[in-house]
Amino acid sequence: MMSGKFFISTPIFYVNAKPHIGTALTCLYADVLARYHRQKGEEVFFLTGTDEHGAKIAQSAEKAGLEPQAFVDQSSESFRELMKSWHISNDFFIRTTDKVVHTPGVLKLWQLLADQGDIYKGSYEGLYCVGHEAFMKSSDLVDGKCPDHQTEPEKIKEENYFFKLSKYKKDLREMYEKGDIVIRPDSRRKEILNMLDDLEDISFSRPRDVVKWGIPVPGDDSQLIYVWADALTNYISALGYGRKEENMSFWPGSHMIGKDILKFHAIFWPAMLHAVGLQPPREILAHGFITVDGQKMSKTIGNVIDPTPLVEKYGLDPVRYFLLREIPSHQDGDFSYEKLEARYNGDLANNLGNLVSRVAKLIETKCGGELIYEEKLMDSRVGEQIAQARKDYEKFIEEFKLHEALASIWNLLTFANGYMDEHKPWKEEHGEHLLMTLNSVATVMAEVSKMLESFMPETSAKILKNLGAESDAKKFVITKVESLFPRLEK
Ligand code: MSP
C-alpha cells in the first residue's frame, strides 16, 4: 500500500457565474480521490478555490454596478457554500485576489522567468475570447464565432509580454514520453503530443487599460499579468510558494480538470514550472462535460442545473451517487431527472437500502439483535466476491474510472441480494447455516460501507449505524433500523 503525501486540486472557478452541477462534478471527483487517499493513510492536501481576476470578471463587476473587489468578495462566497453543502473535504480554499496568500507566488514565478530571459516584450495581433480568457486562432472559430460561447472574439492589437513557451517544446515532449506526467485518459496525452508540434510563445500579460483587473507586471504598471498565468500559479502559491511559509513537500500534485482546460494544464503549466526548475504535475485527470437531456448546459438555453435545489429535493448522497455513477469519469454524460430517479429507486432504495434493512432486521429477529463475527462462519464464496470487488474498486479508482469503481460495489450488492434469496435466512430459526448467511452478508455490508466512504460519506456511516457495527465489523448490535433511501413516489 502506498503511503505518503497526496495533493489533489480542482480548477479554480471563475466567479462571474454561479456554481452549477458541472462545478459540483469537478469537486466531487477530486473529493472522492482525496477521501480515498486519506482512507489509505496518506497525508492529503485537497485544494480548491476561485479565479477572480481578468477581463471577464471586470466586465461582470461593472454590469453588477460593483467595484471588482466587492463583486468577487460576494460572488466567491457561493463557491465556499457549495463546498460545505456538498461535503467537499477541501483542506484549503484559495482566492487569486488574496494578496497575502497568492500574489507573492505569482510575482516570484514571473520574476524568475523574467530574470532568466524567458519573458520578453512584443506585440500581439489576433483574436481573444473573453469567455475563455484565451487567445484564439481563426481556425478555432465556427462561422466567425467561438463555438463554446457563441460570441465573436475581440480583434486585438496590443503590446504584451510573452513567455518563451516554444523553447520548452522538446522538454515537454520528453516529459510526456518518459511518463513524468500522467494524463488520464491516455487518449488526451496523444492530443497534447500533437499540439506540441506547432507550439508558439504565448502572451503573458495584457495592457491594464484593456483588462483593468489583475496583478501588475513587476516593473511595468501599465501591464497586468495574464489571468491564466496568475491562476495556474494557485496550485503552488497555496503551498506557500513565494512566501516564507513555503513548503513544497506536497508537490508534485494531481490536477482534476475539465477537458476544456487541458492545454493550459498539460502544456503551459508544466512549461512554467520546468522553466524555473520545479517538477511538473504528477498527474492530470481530465473529465468530460455534463449535458442536460442531451444538450450543452447554457444560460442561453436556460437549462443550467443549480446544485442547491437538486440536493434539497433528493438529498446529497443520492445526487453524489447519481453524478459519479451516471457520468463516465473520462467522457461526457447526460443529466436527467428521470435517470436520477431511476438510479435512486433502483440502485439506492432497492439494492442497497433494502439489503441493509433486511440484514439488520434479520439479526434483530433471529439473533436477539446481536451477531458476533466469526471467521469460521464466513462463506468462502462470499469472501472471494468481497476480495474481487475490492480489487476492482481500487484498480478503477487508480485509473480514474470512478463510475466503474461504483459499479464494482453494486455488483457486490447484487451478488449479496441474490445470496440472500438463495439462502433464505428468514425461513430458518437458528443453526449454523443461518448464522453463516447473516455473518457473510453483514460482512459484505461492512465492506460496502468502507468502500462507499469516499463516494457517499454519510451513507457509509449510516450503513454501519443501522447494523450497529464499528468500522472493524467484528460485532453487530442492532438498536434502531432506519430506511436509508425511502422510495420516491411519482
Ligand atoms: N478559471 C478557469 C480555471 C483555472 S484553473 C487554474 C476556469 N473556470 S470555470 O469556472 O470556467 O470552469 C471550471 C471547471 O468547470 C472547468 O474544469 C470546466 O471544465 C468545468 N465545467 C464547466 N462546465 C462543465 C460542465 N457542463 N460539465 C463538467 N464540467 C464543467 O475554466
Side-chain angles (χ1 to χ4, degrees):
M1 205 189 268
M2 204 176 91
S3 71
K5 296 200 170 195
F6 180 72
F7 173 110
I8 180 79
S9 63
T10 70
I12 48 172
F13 302 98
Y14 287 130
V15 293
N16 60 306
K18 282 208 170 328
H20 50 68
I21 47 166
T23 324
L25 182 66
T26 302
C27 297
L28 277 185
Y29 285 143
D31 187 51
V32 170
L33 296 186
R35 289 175 185 273
Y36 172 76
H37 284 268
R38 283 191 201 110
Q39 201 184 42
K40 287 208 311 185
E42 291 171 44
E43 207 184 325
V44 171
F45 186 72
F46 173 13
L47 176 66
T48 188
T50 40
D51 194 351
E52 305 182 2
H53 283 134
K56 181 155 68 174
I57 308 292
Q59 284 173 6
S60 302
E62 205 173 309
K63 257 197 222 147
L66 290 171
E67 283 301 313
Q69 190 63 54
F71 175 76
V72 298
D73 286 348
Q74 198 180 75
S75 47
S76 84
E77 190 52 38
S78 54
F79 289 86
R80 277 191 296 274
E81 277 164 14
L82 175 84
M83 304 305 157
K84 251 190 244 137
S85 59
W86 278 60
H87 294 176
I88 303 299
S89 62
N90 57 300
D91 297 294
F92 194 64
F93 188 100
I94 196 161
R95 300 181 57 192
T96 54
T97 55
D98 188 327
K99 291 191 175 58
V100 177
V101 170
H102 178 65
T103 315
V106 178
L107 297 179
K108 176 173 174 181
L109 191 59
W110 179 284
Q111 200 63 58
L112 286 175
L113 293 172
D115 290 348
Q116 67 192 36
D118 276 345
I119 287 182
Y120 63 91
K121 201 164 193 180
S123 73
Y124 176 84
E125 188 170 354
L127 302 168
Y128 192 82
C129 170
V130 176
H132 274 128
E133 290 286 17
F135 299 88
M136 297 189 93
K137 295 191 187 126
S138 46
S139 56
D140 297 330
L141 308 181
V142 177
D143 298 330
K145 288 183 178 167
C146 162
D148 292 333
H149 296 96
Q150 291 303 315
T151 49
E152 277 181 32
E154 291 170 7
K155 287 196 182 71
I156 59 176
K157 188 174 178 203
E158 59 188 34
E159 291 263 282
N160 287 173
Y161 285 96
F162 284 81
F163 168 52
K164 279 191 190 164
L165 180 64
S166 60
K167 177 175 152 189
Y168 295 103
K169 203 189 302 199
K170 207 171 125 259
D171 294 2
L172 285 169
R173 186 173 294 283
E174 240 177 65
M175 283 179 214
Y176 282 108
E177 279 167 357
K178 283 202 336 235
D180 292 346
I181 312 175
V182 172
I183 301 192
R184 294 187 198 278
D186 193 55
S187 55
R188 302 244 174 246
R189 185 176 69 103
K190 294 177 192 123
E191 249 174 60
I192 290 299
L193 284 172
N194 288 339
M195 281 185 214
L196 290 179
D197 290 336
D198 48 13
L199 209 58
E200 291 171 4
D201 293 348
I202 49 167
S203 283
F204 236 35
S205 75
R206 299 202 58 204
R208 179 196 280 275
D209 53 352
V210 181
V211 178
K212 299 192 180 84
W213 181 235
I215 301 176
V217 165
D220 184 350
D221 255 9
S222 70
Q223 292 271 324
L224 300 181
I225 295 177
Y226 173 42
V227 63
W228 271 98
D230 167 356
L232 287 163
T233 312
N234 91 86
Y235 300 130
I236 55 173
S237 64
L239 298 175
Y241 184 74
R243 285 181 280 141
K244 66 174 188 322
E245 295 87 345
E246 182 169 324
N247 174 2
M248 297 288 283
S249 63
F250 273 104
W251 194 254
S254 298
H255 298 312
M256 181 63 64
I257 57 162
K259 60 181 182 178
D260 56 326
I261 54 175
L262 180 64
K263 189 172 71 179
F264 297 95
H265 286 82
I267 297 183
F268 298 0
W269 178 228
M272 289 159 69
L273 290 163
H274 179 71
V276 299
L278 291 173
Q279 277 177 277
R282 187 177 71 88
E283 192 178 45
I284 299 169
L285 305 163
H287 65 78
F289 264 49
I290 306 188
T291 54
V292 177
D293 294 320
Q295 279 184 309
K296 186 175 181 278
M297 219 177 5
S298 96
K299 267 197 206 160
T300 340
I301 305 175
N303 61 353
V304 178
I305 306 278
D306 184 339
T308 307
L310 194 65
V311 166
E312 276 163 12
K313 177 156 182 206
Y314 297 100
L316 176 63
D317 273 4
V319 176
R320 283 179 67 114
Y321 173 74
F322 171 72
L323 292 175
L324 290 162
R325 176 76 193 264
E326 187 71 27
I327 320 277
S329 318
H330 289 173
Q331 292 155 31
D332 293 351
D334 198 43
F335 175 91
S336 81
Y337 290 98
E338 289 75 38
K339 284 188 212 161
L340 198 168
E341 292 184 6
R343 288 264 183 214
Y344 183 107
N345 281 334
D347 298 1
L348 298 179
N350 286 353
N351 207 340
L352 172 60
N354 272 353
L355 188 57
V356 173
S357 30
R358 272 213 286 179
V359 177
K361 283 191 185 132
L362 283 164
I363 297 177
E364 199 171 38
T365 53
K366 307 280 177 182
C367 314
E370 192 171 308
L371 179 75
I372 312 279
Y373 173 86
E374 278 187 67
E375 181 109 38
K376 68 174 189 340
L377 285 176
M378 183 72 201
D379 186 340
S380 61
R381 207 176 120 221
V382 179
E384 281 158 24
Q385 292 288 330
I386 294 177
Q388 186 60 47
R390 163 61 69 179
K391 205 167 136 211
D392 293 345
Y393 165 88
E394 283 179 1
K395 171 174 145 312
F396 288 131
I397 293 191
E398 302 288 343
E399 291 174 356
F400 182 48
K401 292 183 182 155
L402 305 187
H403 58 300
E404 300 267 17
L406 280 175
S408 45
I409 303 178
W410 258 260
N411 288 341
L412 181 61
L413 285 168
T414 304
F415 164 81
N417 268 303
Y419 184 85
M420 289 279 277
D421 294 343
E422 202 180 296
H423 290 263
K424 304 189 179 23
W426 52 89
K427 286 199 169 162
E428 293 174 85
E429 278 320 313
H430 43 73
E432 197 154 291
H433 181 258
L434 170 72
L435 285 177
M436 183 196 71
T437 310
L438 293 180
N439 193 74
S440 302
V441 182
T443 306
V444 167
M445 300 323 293
E447 183 62 29
V448 164
S449 157
K450 217 178 277 170
M451 291 194 279
L452 275 184
E453 202 186 314
S454 309
F455 291 83
M456 306 165 82
E458 233 176 310
T459 301
S460 158
K462 278 189 192 163
I463 295 173
L464 289 186
K465 195 162 170 242
N466 266 284
L467 294 173
E470 300 290 325
S471 57
D472 65 355
K474 293 287 176 251
K475 197 167 149 191
F476 303 89
V477 186
I478 313 298
T479 46
K480 193 169 168 209
V481 186
E482 268 174 310
S483 166
L484 285 184
F485 303 102
R487 278 186 73 84
L488 298 170
E489 299 305 340
K490 277 270 167 215

